[in-house]
Amino acid sequence: MIDVRDHKELQAVVLAMKRLEPTVKKSINAATRDTLNPVWKSLVAVNATSEFDSKLLVPGTRIAAGNPPRAVAASSVRGIGESKRLKPATDFWMAEFGGRSNKTSTYTRKSKNGGTHKVTRRTRAGLPQPIRKGRAVYPAFAEIAPRAVSLWTQIVILETHNAFEGKG
């Protein structure tokens, strides 16, 4: 994650954005979305190697323009799969970070004969192996972050220049 407070150059761009007129800000935000959205979406899609990753991480992937802009992934709240129980916005961690497959859940159920008995299941057996650095979104962001910061700075400067020249 890039923190604006760690870079004086980015602080200057953020301050410049605060001082601009709303019409100039609107054109900067539109240019930021138009330019960075396709690149960000394609990077996340390329890094999502399995169908499970693609279904959980790619929906809702976008650049949220603002001051500063944010890269968003897996923000969809629409359920996926046959049961629609998995929602990318809340269950993204399964695909991005995996889980321990030896985690168990014990519960009581009724048997066919009318009695009850305890059942122990490995509830995360189908998840990929755990990985701290992420599988798709984190590597994609590491790849796009320097380009995105540079491009956003250039867009702010260009749109501000165009506004002063009366071109925008």
Side-chain angles (χ1 to χ4, degrees), residues 34-90:
D34 293 344
T35 308
L36 291 177
N37 260 337
V39 178
W40 174 235
K41 285 181 182 182
S42 67
L43 276 175
V44 173
V46 165
N47 284 338
T49 54
S50 71
E51 185 180 353
F52 181 67
D53 293 350
S54 296
K55 284 184 176 182
L56 270 177
L57 299 175
V58 175
T61 299
R62 62 190 168 81
I63 295 292
N67 187 17
R70 297 180 334 267
V72 178
S75 65
S76 175
V77 293
R78 180 175 289 180
I80 63 165
E82 195 172 304
S83 66
K84 306 287 186 208
R85 283 187 283 188
L86 287 179
K87 299 190 181 351
T90 56

Side-chain angles (χ1 to χ4, degrees), residues 4 7-20 25 28 32 66-69 148-157 160:
V4 172
H7 305 282
K8 291 187 181 208
E9 296 85 1
L10 290 178
Q11 288 176 354
V13 175
V14 168
L15 183 62
M17 279 285 287
K18 286 181 180 180
R19 302 283 182 191
L20 292 174
K25 286 183 194 179
I28 289 171
T32 302
N67 187 17
V149 169
S150 174
L151 185 65
W152 182 61
T153 305
Q154 291 173 20
I155 289 171
V156 170
I157 292 169
T160 305

Side-chain angles (χ1 to χ4, degrees), residues 122-140:
R122 286 186 20 211
T123 55
R124 295 183 181 175
L127 293 181
Q129 290 298 312
I131 184 168
R132 284 185 172 201
K133 295 183 180 182
R135 294 182 200 301
V137 177
Y138 279 49

